[in-house]
């Protein structure tokens, strides 16, 4: 992650007035900031610099997302981050035998498996090079709107400050910092969580069929499903998905039970080298679908997970971040150029996306009918 000046130094050398302030410096926020920098004074507020480079569940970038990356002027970010081909998906879902879906013959072609942390860093560095100001270790304490824009009060280790902006963007992910302070509500569609780790797959090339190499893998089991995606550094992300309120969750939090469950899978465990249970580091994170009841308003909008958070089964997380950033760029330019209804149009586009996503996700979950008495699958077949 690129280094930045301290808050004190930044405040001494930078204006407190901006055209656009973005709350959240993840992929969506940094991509949008970079794309706006040639037109506007842009500030990004982020609570923790180190969090942006951590391993994430969902390291698959569909080919369609590459077009959004190029349209945002961030094509060179791929040259500065490590990645390998994302050739397709191998699944055991609705049946007991592996099935491979290739991307070679699709209109979009193959995608990429990548290190999301390194891509985030590359996008952030491009944004900084383009003139975007990043302030880290800050928390938004207050928001006030007026006919001239926004006043944003922030807290940082050295005190309190206020910034002004014509336009405000919520890119704070599932925290929904801006939307919550504006009184907005989010709807959680389910209680899904992911219990995941990053591990070595040094034996993968010889221990698994060659047709599995370069693919994301998913495997349905009685109380949820497993996910696996390779990383460019010879490691892979392994994740078990279930609902937070089910008894299986407390069991799978324990490394020995998680490891034993992994070993019982037909597909996911092939070629994986796990540390012994006491040394296995498991991370638990939200993986539920959620939607903002209001994703835009007068001179503000939400992007990425702050607007729409998708089930990892869709492999649309990074695609959503980049695509909503691109749509937001268009809306912000139109709004600041005097178009009165640009944010309403943006909000409608996101409602259309969420409707299509819901339909497709429901249909895919319903294809798995092998565990009709499992609460996890009952919820998704209702």
């Amino acid at each position: 992650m690129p280094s930045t000046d301290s808050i004190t130094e930044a405040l001494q050398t930078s204006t407190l007035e901006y055209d656009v302030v973005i709350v959240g410096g993840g992929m969506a926020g940094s991509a949008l900031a970079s794309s706006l920098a040639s037109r506007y004074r842009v500030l990004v507020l982020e609570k923790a610099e180190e969090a942006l480079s951590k391993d994430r569940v969902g390291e698959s970038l569909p080919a369609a997302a590459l077009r959004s990356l190029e349209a945002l002027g961030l094509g060179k970010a791929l040259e500065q981050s490590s990645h390998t081909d994302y050739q397709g998906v191998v699944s055991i879902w609705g049946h007991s035998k592996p099935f491979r879906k290739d991307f070679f013959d699709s209109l979009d072609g193959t995608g990429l498996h990548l290190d999301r942390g390194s891509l985030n860093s590359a996008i952030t560095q491009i944004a900084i090079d383009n003139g975007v100001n990043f302030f880290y270790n800050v928390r938004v304490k207050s928001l006030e709107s007026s006919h001239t824009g926004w006043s944003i009060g922030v807290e940082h280790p050295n005190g309190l400050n206020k910034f002004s902006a014509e336009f405000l963007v919520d890119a704070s992910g599932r925290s929904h910092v801006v939307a919550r302070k504006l009184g907005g509500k989010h709807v959680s569609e389910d209680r899904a969580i992911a219990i995941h780790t990053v591990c070595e797959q040094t034996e993968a090339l010889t221990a698994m069929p060659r047709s599995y190499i370069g693919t994301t893998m998913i495997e349905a089991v009685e109380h949820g499903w497993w996910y696996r995606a390779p990383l460019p550094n010879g490691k892979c992300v392994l994740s078990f998905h279930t609902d937070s309120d089910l008894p299986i969750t407390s069991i799978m939090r324990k490394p020995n039970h998680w490891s034993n469950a992994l070993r019982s899978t037909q597909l996911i465990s092939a070629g994986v080298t796990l540390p012994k249970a006491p040394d296995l580091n498991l991370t638990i994170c939200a993986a539920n679908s959620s939607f903002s009841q209001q994703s835009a308003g007068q001179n503000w909008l939400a992007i990425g997970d702050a607007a729409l958070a998708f089930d990892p089964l869709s492999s649309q997380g990074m695609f959503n971040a980049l695509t909503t950033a691109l749509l937001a760029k268009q809306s912000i330019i139109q709004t600041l150029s005097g178009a009165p209804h640009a944010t309403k149009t943006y909000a409608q586009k996101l409602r259309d996306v969420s409707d299509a996503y819901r339909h497709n996700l429901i249909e895919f979950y319903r294809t798995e009918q092998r565990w009709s008495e499992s609460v996890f699958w009952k919820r998704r077949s209702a």
Side-chain angles (χ1 to χ4, degrees), residues 4-18 43-45 133-138 152-164:
T4 59
D5 294 335
S6 69
I7 283 289
T8 301
E9 293 170 339
L11 292 174
Q12 290 173 346
T13 58
S14 302
T15 179
L16 301 182
E17 298 179 356
Y18 290 86
L43 169 69
V44 176
L45 302 172
N133 283 340
F134 280 74
F135 289 164
Y136 294 101
N137 302 314
V138 298
I152 304 107
V154 303
E155 180 182 38
H156 54 83
N158 296 317
L160 300 172
N161 280 94
K162 283 195 172 183
F163 300 95
S164 64

Side-chain angles (χ1 to χ4, degrees), residues 112-305:
L112 298 174
H113 282 129
L114 47 78
D115 176 353
R116 183 169 180 171
S118 71
L119 182 60
N120 280 349
S121 295
I123 292 173
T124 300
Q125 186 60 62
I126 291 171
I128 291 173
D129 293 343
N130 287 343
V132 175
N133 283 340
F134 280 74
F135 289 164
Y136 294 101
N137 302 314
V138 298
R139 294 184 181 274
V140 175
K141 301 296 289 184
S142 64
L143 295 174
E144 298 175 10
S145 62
S146 68
H147 67 282
T148 59
W150 295 90
S151 175
I152 304 107
V154 303
E155 180 182 38
H156 54 83
N158 296 317
L160 300 172
N161 280 94
K162 283 195 172 183
F163 300 95
S164 64
E166 288 189 61
F167 203 99
L168 180 64
V169 177
D170 189 350
S172 60
R174 292 176 182 266
S175 299
H176 318 297
V177 171
V178 172
R180 283 192 295 105
K181 290 190 177 297
L182 295 178
K185 295 183 179 180
H186 271 69
V187 177
S188 292
E189 304 262 302
D190 54 69
R191 299 165 180 163
I193 60 167
I195 307 173
H196 64 94
T197 192
V198 175
C199 69
E200 301 288 342
Q201 56 171 11
T202 53
E203 301 174 5
L205 294 180
T206 56
M208 70 168 63
R210 291 186 59 84
S211 61
Y212 294 179
I213 297 172
T215 65
T216 290
M217 301 179 187
I218 58 173
E219 181 172 347
V221 292
E222 183 176 4
H223 300 295
W225 57 277
W226 287 87
Y227 165 95
R228 170 176 170 176
L231 296 172
N233 57 6
K235 298 183 179 182
C236 66
V237 174
L238 295 171
S239 181
F240 176 70
H241 297 251
T242 190
D243 287 338
S244 60
D245 62 329
L246 296 181
I248 190 65
T249 296
S250 60
I251 295 172
M252 294 293 280
R253 288 172 182 263
K254 301 174 182 178
N256 59 323
H257 291 298
W258 191 96
S259 298
N260 289 337
L262 173 69
R263 293 188 185 97
S264 70
T265 61
Q266 178 181 345
L267 180 66
I268 304 298
S269 60
V272 168
T273 303
L274 282 177
K276 293 183 179 180
D279 300 319
L280 181 61
N281 182 27
L282 296 177
T283 301
I284 303 174
C285 65
N288 59 301
S289 302
S290 67
F291 307 93
S292 175
Q293 289 186 333
Q294 184 180 6
S295 56
Q298 184 175 355
N299 282 38
W300 79 273
L301 54 75
I303 61 175
D305 284 354

